Amino acid sequence: MSSKTKIVVLHMKELIYTVVFVVLGILLVLLLVYMFLPDKKDDATKETMKYVAGVYTSSITFNDSTIDVEVVVDANHINSISLKNLDETVSTMYPLMEPALESISEQVCASQSTDNITFADDNQYTSMVLLNAIKDALKKAETKE
């Protein structure tokens, strides 16, 4: 029975590098797990107020006349949309403005959003101008977090 002695030579430098890389690997795995796990926050803490209640206006200029689009909101709803400072001359020059605003107003108040609004073919551009003015007024009404 011969017993052979085996000698294992460990270089301290290699041992230290191995330990450091293993620790860094574990930290990387923990970081990735922490970053990509879904949050378990309570849904009840979501913001309940969408707007600051009030009357907000946005201006449109047509032929040196300024028309105000007035949006009335409460904390969670868009209540009404109307035109203010509408002169007879502007109303005569742009007869499709009032029907376009009425159509947009009904859609926005019903859906509480300015997304997916449909326009009639005869007043598409007027409707787009009015919708942009409504969006500007609603941006003023939004709450800041």
Side-chain angles (χ1 to χ4, degrees):
M1 286 212 166
S2 90
S3 100
K4 290 186 178 180
T5 308
K6 293 185 179 182
I7 299 175
V8 178
V9 178
L10 296 176
H11 295 280
M12 192 61 145
K13 187 188 254 185
E14 291 176 7
L15 187 62
I16 291 173
Y17 287 152
T18 304
V19 170
V20 167
F21 285 127
V22 167
V23 169
L24 287 176
I26 291 171
L27 286 175
L28 179 65
V29 168
L30 290 174
L31 179 67
L32 290 174
V33 167
Y34 176 74
M35 286 177 54
F36 293 112
L37 280 180
D39 291 340
K40 295 180 182 178
K41 292 182 181 176
D42 189 15
D43 290 338
T45 61
K46 288 185 179 178
E47 183 70 30
T48 56
M49 284 183 49
K50 191 171 184 181
Y51 303 111
V52 175
V55 178
Y56 297 91
T57 59
S58 180
S59 298
I60 305 171
T61 304
F62 287 110
N63 293 341
D64 298 330
S65 296
T66 302
I67 302 167
D68 293 329
V69 177
E70 182 180 85
V71 180
V72 179
V73 297
D74 61 17
N76 297 317
H77 298 93
I78 302 169
N79 294 331
S80 68
I81 301 169
S82 60
L83 292 175
K84 299 297 177 189
N85 301 330
L86 183 63
D87 295 335
E88 287 183 31
T89 55
V90 175
S91 179
T92 305
M93 292 294 291
Y94 301 99
L96 299 176
M97 187 175 300
E98 290 181 37
L101 183 73
E102 184 176 325
S103 171
I104 293 171
S105 176
E106 289 173 2
Q107 293 179 49
V108 169
C109 289
S111 67
Q112 295 296 310
S113 172
T114 56
D115 298 331
N116 301 324
I117 302 298
T118 57
F119 308 127
D121 290 335
D122 59 344
N123 59 4
Q124 176 179 352
Y125 299 108
T126 305
S127 298
M128 288 173 46
V129 169
L130 291 170
L131 185 61
N132 287 335
I134 292 168
K135 287 180 181 178
D136 289 342
L138 288 175
K139 282 182 187 174
K140 294 176 186 176
E142 289 177 353
T143 60
K144 304 284 190 249
E145 291 187 25

mmCIF file of all heavy atoms in Angstrom, residues 50-51 78 104 107-119 131 134-135 138 142:
data_model
loop_
_atom_site.group_PDB
_atom_site.id
_atom_site.type_symbol
_atom_site.label_atom_id
_atom_site.label_comp_id
_atom_site.label_asym_id
_atom_site.label_seq_id
_atom_site.Cartn_x
_atom_site.Cartn_y
_atom_site.Cartn_z
ATOM 1 N N LYS A 50 -57.679 64.026 -11.019
ATOM 2 C CA LYS A 50 -57.107 64.134 -12.349
ATOM 3 C C LYS A 50 -56.896 65.597 -12.726
ATOM 4 O O LYS A 50 -55.946 65.941 -13.396
ATOM 5 C CB LYS A 50 -58.038 63.446 -13.346
ATOM 6 C CG LYS A 50 -57.464 63.254 -14.696
ATOM 7 C CD LYS A 50 -58.389 62.382 -15.529
ATOM 8 C CE LYS A 50 -57.775 62.100 -16.872
ATOM 9 N NZ LYS A 50 -58.643 61.292 -17.707
ATOM 10 N N TYR A 51 -57.806 66.462 -12.305
ATOM 11 C CA TYR A 51 -57.751 67.877 -12.655
ATOM 12 C C TYR A 51 -57.902 68.732 -11.393
ATOM 13 O O TYR A 51 -58.426 68.284 -10.386
ATOM 14 C CB TYR A 51 -58.891 68.258 -13.607
ATOM 15 C CG TYR A 51 -58.927 67.456 -14.882
ATOM 16 C CD1 TYR A 51 -59.942 66.542 -15.130
ATOM 17 C CD2 TYR A 51 -57.951 67.609 -15.847
ATOM 18 C CE1 TYR A 51 -59.991 65.816 -16.300
ATOM 19 C CE2 TYR A 51 -57.981 66.882 -17.018
ATOM 20 C CZ TYR A 51 -59.009 65.988 -17.247
ATOM 21 O OH TYR A 51 -59.045 65.269 -18.396
ATOM 22 N N ILE A 78 -64.537 66.200 -17.056
ATOM 23 C CA ILE A 78 -64.673 67.347 -17.952
ATOM 24 C C ILE A 78 -66.173 67.610 -18.046
ATOM 25 O O ILE A 78 -66.931 66.756 -18.503
ATOM 26 C CB ILE A 78 -64.088 67.033 -19.341
ATOM 27 C CG1 ILE A 78 -62.621 66.648 -19.219
ATOM 28 C CG2 ILE A 78 -64.275 68.220 -20.270
ATOM 29 C CD1 ILE A 78 -62.023 66.059 -20.490
ATOM 30 N N ILE A 104 -67.395 67.783 -30.966
ATOM 31 C CA ILE A 104 -66.221 67.433 -30.164
ATOM 32 C C ILE A 104 -66.562 67.464 -28.684
ATOM 33 O O ILE A 104 -66.160 66.585 -27.921
ATOM 34 C CB ILE A 104 -65.047 68.387 -30.479
ATOM 35 C CG1 ILE A 104 -64.562 68.168 -31.905
ATOM 36 C CG2 ILE A 104 -63.900 68.197 -29.501
ATOM 37 C CD1 ILE A 104 -63.561 69.198 -32.362
ATOM 38 N N GLN A 107 -68.376 64.360 -27.591
ATOM 39 C CA GLN A 107 -67.506 63.184 -27.546
ATOM 40 C C GLN A 107 -66.543 63.236 -26.364
ATOM 41 O O GLN A 107 -66.306 62.224 -25.689
ATOM 42 C CB GLN A 107 -66.710 63.065 -28.851
ATOM 43 C CG GLN A 107 -67.568 62.745 -30.052
ATOM 44 C CD GLN A 107 -66.744 62.655 -31.309
ATOM 45 O OE1 GLN A 107 -65.720 61.969 -31.327
ATOM 46 N NE2 GLN A 107 -67.170 63.357 -32.345
ATOM 47 N N VAL A 108 -65.961 64.416 -26.119
ATOM 48 C CA VAL A 108 -64.992 64.551 -25.020
ATOM 49 C C VAL A 108 -65.682 64.389 -23.669
ATOM 50 O O VAL A 108 -65.169 63.692 -22.789
ATOM 51 C CB VAL A 108 -64.246 65.904 -25.105
ATOM 52 C CG1 VAL A 108 -63.444 66.173 -23.849
ATOM 53 C CG2 VAL A 108 -63.331 65.929 -26.327
ATOM 54 N N CYS A 109 -66.842 64.991 -23.499
ATOM 55 C CA CYS A 109 -67.560 64.869 -22.220
ATOM 56 C C CYS A 109 -68.050 63.439 -21.989
ATOM 57 O O CYS A 109 -68.086 62.972 -20.855
ATOM 58 C CB CYS A 109 -68.718 65.853 -22.164
ATOM 59 S SG CYS A 109 -68.180 67.573 -22.010
ATOM 60 N N ALA A 110 -68.405 62.743 -23.064
ATOM 61 C CA ALA A 110 -68.876 61.365 -22.913
ATOM 62 C C ALA A 110 -67.723 60.415 -22.581
ATOM 63 O O ALA A 110 -67.853 59.543 -21.723
ATOM 64 C CB ALA A 110 -69.577 60.897 -24.185
ATOM 65 N N SER A 111 -66.580 60.588 -23.250
ATOM 66 C CA SER A 111 -65.463 59.661 -23.034
ATOM 67 C C SER A 111 -64.471 60.154 -21.983
ATOM 68 O O SER A 111 -63.589 59.404 -21.571
ATOM 69 C CB SER A 111 -64.714 59.427 -24.348
ATOM 70 O OG SER A 111 -64.063 60.612 -24.761
ATOM 71 N N GLN A 112 -64.583 61.423 -21.578
ATOM 72 C CA GLN A 112 -63.662 62.035 -20.613
ATOM 73 C C GLN A 112 -62.211 61.962 -21.096
ATOM 74 O O GLN A 112 -61.278 61.860 -20.302
ATOM 75 C CB GLN A 112 -63.797 61.398 -19.226
ATOM 76 C CG GLN A 112 -65.136 61.620 -18.572
ATOM 77 C CD GLN A 112 -65.397 63.085 -18.298
ATOM 78 O OE1 GLN A 112 -64.572 63.780 -17.720
ATOM 79 N NE2 GLN A 112 -66.544 63.575 -18.731
ATOM 80 N N SER A 113 -62.024 62.013 -22.406
ATOM 81 C CA SER A 113 -60.695 61.928 -23.001
ATOM 82 C C SER A 113 -60.711 62.625 -24.353
ATOM 83 O O SER A 113 -61.754 62.688 -25.019
ATOM 84 C CB SER A 113 -60.286 60.466 -23.174
ATOM 85 O OG SER A 113 -59.095 60.382 -23.904
ATOM 86 N N THR A 114 -59.552 63.105 -24.777
ATOM 87 C CA THR A 114 -59.438 63.704 -26.102
ATOM 88 C C THR A 114 -58.898 62.706 -27.121
ATOM 89 O O THR A 114 -58.591 63.081 -28.240
ATOM 90 C CB THR A 114 -58.517 64.938 -26.061
ATOM 91 O OG1 THR A 114 -57.254 64.554 -25.527
ATOM 92 C CG2 THR A 114 -59.120 66.048 -25.240
ATOM 93 N N ASP A 115 -58.819 61.451 -26.738
ATOM 94 C CA ASP A 115 -58.350 60.409 -27.649
ATOM 95 C C ASP A 115 -59.526 59.847 -28.438
ATOM 96 O O ASP A 115 -60.655 59.802 -27.957
ATOM 97 C CB ASP A 115 -57.678 59.276 -26.870
ATOM 98 C CG ASP A 115 -56.451 59.760 -26.105
ATOM 99 O OD1 ASP A 115 -55.815 60.728 -26.553
ATOM 100 O OD2 ASP A 115 -56.155 59.170 -25.050
ATOM 101 N N ASN A 116 -59.246 59.392 -29.642
ATOM 102 C CA ASN A 116 -60.222 58.728 -30.517
ATOM 103 C C ASN A 116 -61.452 59.587 -30.797
ATOM 104 O O ASN A 116 -62.575 59.099 -30.804
ATOM 105 C CB ASN A 116 -60.652 57.383 -29.931
ATOM 106 C CG ASN A 116 -59.478 56.457 -29.731
ATOM 107 O OD1 ASN A 116 -58.545 56.448 -30.535
ATOM 108 N ND2 ASN A 116 -59.505 55.669 -28.672
ATOM 109 N N ILE A 117 -61.239 60.867 -31.047
ATOM 110 C CA ILE A 117 -62.320 61.770 -31.412
ATOM 111 C C ILE A 117 -62.491 61.711 -32.929
ATOM 112 O O ILE A 117 -61.517 61.795 -33.671
ATOM 113 C CB ILE A 117 -62.019 63.216 -30.970
ATOM 114 C CG1 ILE A 117 -61.785 63.278 -29.459
ATOM 115 C CG2 ILE A 117 -63.132 64.158 -31.392
ATOM 116 C CD1 ILE A 117 -62.962 62.876 -28.626
ATOM 117 N N THR A 118 -63.723 61.567 -33.397
ATOM 118 C CA THR A 118 -63.983 61.499 -34.834
ATOM 119 C C THR A 118 -64.454 62.850 -35.340
ATOM 120 O O THR A 118 -65.158 63.584 -34.638
ATOM 121 C CB THR A 118 -65.043 60.437 -35.149
ATOM 122 O OG1 THR A 118 -66.233 60.741 -34.428
ATOM 123 C CG2 THR A 118 -64.553 59.045 -34.760
ATOM 124 N N PHE A 119 -64.047 63.176 -36.572
ATOM 125 C CA PHE A 119 -64.393 64.450 -37.195
ATOM 126 C C PHE A 119 -65.249 64.189 -38.424
ATOM 127 O O PHE A 119 -65.077 63.195 -39.105
ATOM 128 C CB PHE A 119 -63.148 65.209 -37.659
ATOM 129 C CG PHE A 119 -62.091 65.393 -36.614
ATOM 130 C CD1 PHE A 119 -60.788 65.006 -36.858
ATOM 131 C CD2 PHE A 119 -62.376 65.973 -35.402
ATOM 132 C CE1 PHE A 119 -59.799 65.187 -35.923
ATOM 133 C CE2 PHE A 119 -61.398 66.152 -34.453
ATOM 134 C CZ PHE A 119 -60.110 65.762 -34.710
ATOM 135 N N LEU A 131 -59.805 70.927 -31.259
ATOM 136 C CA LEU A 131 -59.345 69.851 -30.378
ATOM 137 C C LEU A 131 -57.987 70.189 -29.766
ATOM 138 O O LEU A 131 -57.756 69.926 -28.581
ATOM 139 C CB LEU A 131 -59.273 68.530 -31.142
ATOM 140 C CG LEU A 131 -58.929 67.300 -30.309
ATOM 141 C CD1 LEU A 131 -59.987 67.072 -29.239
ATOM 142 C CD2 LEU A 131 -58.801 66.084 -31.192
ATOM 143 N N ILE A 134 -58.601 72.550 -26.969
ATOM 144 C CA ILE A 134 -59.155 71.837 -25.806
ATOM 145 C C ILE A 134 -58.041 71.106 -25.070
ATOM 146 O O ILE A 134 -57.971 71.127 -23.829
ATOM 147 C CB ILE A 134 -60.262 70.860 -26.258
ATOM 148 C CG1 ILE A 134 -61.464 71.637 -26.768
ATOM 149 C CG2 ILE A 134 -60.664 69.932 -25.121
ATOM 150 C CD1 ILE A 134 -62.487 70.795 -27.493
ATOM 151 N N LYS A 135 -57.141 70.473 -25.800
ATOM 152 C CA LYS A 135 -56.015 69.774 -25.169
ATOM 153 C C LYS A 135 -55.133 70.753 -24.391
ATOM 154 O O LYS A 135 -54.673 70.435 -23.288
ATOM 155 C CB LYS A 135 -55.183 69.050 -26.221
ATOM 156 C CG LYS A 135 -55.842 67.811 -26.777
ATOM 157 C CD LYS A 135 -54.955 67.145 -27.824
ATOM 158 C CE LYS A 135 -55.607 65.919 -28.411
ATOM 159 N NZ LYS A 135 -54.775 65.283 -29.456
ATOM 160 N N LEU A 138 -56.880 71.598 -21.180
ATOM 161 C CA LEU A 138 -56.834 70.480 -20.228
ATOM 162 C C LEU A 138 -55.440 70.303 -19.626
ATOM 163 O O LEU A 138 -55.312 69.864 -18.479
ATOM 164 C CB LEU A 138 -57.304 69.194 -20.900
ATOM 165 C CG LEU A 138 -58.795 69.106 -21.199
ATOM 166 C CD1 LEU A 138 -59.114 67.839 -21.982
ATOM 167 C CD2 LEU A 138 -59.587 69.154 -19.915
ATOM 168 N N GLU A 142 -54.572 69.992 -15.491
ATOM 169 C CA GLU A 142 -54.056 68.763 -14.880
ATOM 170 C C GLU A 142 -53.329 69.054 -13.580
ATOM 171 O O GLU A 142 -52.678 70.085 -13.437
ATOM 172 C CB GLU A 142 -53.108 68.045 -15.849
ATOM 173 C CG GLU A 142 -53.833 67.433 -17.026
ATOM 174 C CD GLU A 142 -52.885 66.781 -18.005
ATOM 175 O OE1 GLU A 142 -51.658 66.910 -17.854
ATOM 176 O OE2 GLU A 142 -53.386 66.130 -18.941
#
